[in-house]
Structure formats: C-alpha cells, structure tokens
Amino acid sequence: AQRVTQPEKLLSVFKGAPVELKCNYSYSGSPELFWYVQYSRQRLQLLLRHISRESIKGFTADLNKGETSFHLKKPFAQEEDSAMYYCALAGGTSYGKLTFGQGTILTVHP
Amino acid sequence: GAVVSQHPSWVICKSGTSVKIECRSLDFQATTMFWYRQFPKQSLMLMATSNEGSKATYEQGVEKDKFLINHASLTLSTLTVTSAHPEDSSFYICSALGLAATGELFFGEGSRLTVL
C-alpha cells in the first residue's frame, strides 16, 4: 500500500524567512512524487514534480529515497506563497492515479 | 494551459434524489479522468478512475452503485450520486490526464454537494 504523510497541518512563517514543508512517503517500488498547490478559492495546480528537477516560484524539492522524503523548500517565503500544499505520490502502472497527503496550510505573514 | 471544468460548482438537493456532476476537458482530450472526494479540512480521497469507453475502476470501499461514473467521450466524464443522503455531502473534484508525454494532471474547480 502506498501512503503519503504531511506531518504539519499548519505552518506559519514571516515574509523573507525560509520555509520547509515536510512530506514522507511509503511505497515499495519507485515512486513518482509531486507537490500540488491550492491558492484561496482556486483549483489544485501542479507546483513541481521530482523527475523534472525544476524550481518553480522559488520552490525546490529533492527526493530522498533513503529517508523516503520529498520535502518542499523555499529560501525566502513571500506572502503570495500562502496556500494549501499537497504532496502526492503516483505509483504502479496506473499513471496519474495519485495518493495525496493530508495537506499543509502555509501562511506567510508580512 | 489545459482547462478542466466541473458543473455544477455547487448543488443542494433533498435526501433520496440523484445528482449528476460533469467534468469536462475544455481544450484537450482526456482518455482518463479521476474522481476525488474531499471532506472539510481533509485530503483528497481517490474514488475512481474513469476511462473513456470502458467501465470505471473504483477504489476499495467506494460503492459503484452509489457513485455511477460514465465517460462517454474524450472530453466528458460524469459522476452521478444516486439516492443521495446527508453523509454524501462533500466536495467532489475531478482531474483529467493530458495526452502529452508529460502526463500532467489537470484539476477541475470542484463541485460542492449538500444533501438536506
């Protein structure tokens, strides 16, 4: 069975501070991991995926297979980063079938 | 970017009635769509995988007779909540898998169902 855990439901930081949203996963094979973001009153949208190794809006995430983690980081948080963040895992042959973590609400204070 | 639209955005119905929610990919074709359910302040739970032209694949614990899914075309999947009860009240979200090599998922805006 696959599982995604985001231990923090709420995370608050001040503008300009570093931020790290934690994500741990459980999966027996080679997972594909994603971070999705949902801004207030908007739909879910893809932030980044581990295979692309991109930096989107200043966010990065590194897959650590040893620690089974895929933490999302940004060195200097901005107020517009305030949103709900979901870590998600796609495993097996059913491409696009995602298992989501519980989500972390990030609030960046001015 | 690709757009997925759900209709209606919200619906209120009486207990015992059936409600249909549509999920459309507006500017791309989607052979596969997914239906999720989200309870307040909780994560998205995958309900079923909808494949165009074939029967949907339901996740364990999801009643297929309760949540009827039809994917009749490459741009439309429908979820019908049959004989709805208050416990079916929830936020239902669909996503569509693009045909591009990246296989990115595009999400609808969600449909809020309230059963009185």
Side-chain angles (χ1 to χ4, degrees):
Chain A
Q2 54 198 55
R3 191 168 61 200
V4 177
T5 303
Q6 292 178 248
E8 303 139 328
K9 272 201 165 183
L10 302 169
L11 184 61
S12 289
V13 299
F14 285 100
K15 177 183 173 182
V19 63
E20 181 180 56
L21 290 83
K22 291 183 167 46
C23 171
N24 289 90
Y25 67 90
S26 173
Y27 183 65
S28 56
S30 282
E32 187 166 358
L33 285 147
F34 306 81
W35 276 99
Y36 280 85
V37 60
Q38 188 171 28
Y39 299 103
S40 180
R41 300 183 187 280
Q42 294 187 28
R43 68 191 67 200
L44 266 173
Q45 54 185 285
L46 179 66
L47 181 62
L48 54 81
R49 55 198 301 178
H50 89 269
I51 60 171
S52 62
R53 294 184 164 273
E54 292 177 297
S55 172
I56 307 294
K57 299 184 179 183
F59 284 98
T60 59
D62 290 316
L63 177 60
N64 186 322
K65 291 187 177 181
E67 295 182 359
T68 59
S69 68
F70 188 57
H71 303 326
L72 183 68
K73 300 176 185 179
K74 184 169 182 175
F76 308 103
Q78 304 299 315
E79 290 178 67
E80 55 265 30
D81 296 328
S82 297
M84 170 74 97
Y85 291 81
Y86 290 98
C87 182
L89 179 154
T93 56
S94 182
Y95 198 86
K97 187 174 166 180
L98 297 178
T99 298
F100 283 88
Q102 301 91 321
T104 299
I105 299 174
L106 173 65
T107 303
V108 181
H109 299 284
Chain B
V3 177
V4 174
S5 177
Q6 285 184 238
H7 178 81
S9 299
W10 57 272
V11 57
I12 301 172
C13 70
K14 292 182 178 180
S15 186
T17 61
S18 294
V19 175
K20 181 187 284 187
I21 300 170
E22 293 184 346
C23 176
R24 292 182 185 272
S25 55
L26 296 185
D27 49 4
F28 68 103
Q29 294 180 328
T31 55
T32 304
M33 292 183 173
F34 302 89
W35 286 95
Y36 295 86
R37 184 172 179 176
Q38 185 178 33
F39 291 102
K41 299 186 179 181
Q42 294 190 31
S43 187
L44 286 78
M45 300 292 294
L46 180 65
M47 297 174 66
T49 302
S50 171
N51 294 296
E52 186 266 337
S54 63
K55 289 184 178 180
T57 304
Y58 290 82
E59 294 300 301
Q60 193 172 13
V62 178
E63 298 176 60
K64 52 186 72 175
D65 294 332
K66 174 75 167 175
F67 299 99
L68 299 178
I69 291 172
N70 184 276
H71 194 155
S73 77
L74 286 172
T75 59
L76 174 64
S77 175
T78 60
L79 168 68
T80 302
V81 183
T82 62
S83 187
H85 291 283
E87 58 265 28
D88 299 325
S89 298
S90 192
F91 197 55
Y92 293 89
I93 301 172
C94 74
S95 66
L97 189 61
L99 290 177
T102 55
E104 185 173 342
L105 271 182
F106 300 96
F107 283 81
E109 62 270 57
S111 298
R112 183 165 300 284
L113 170 64
T114 301
V115 185
L116 302 176

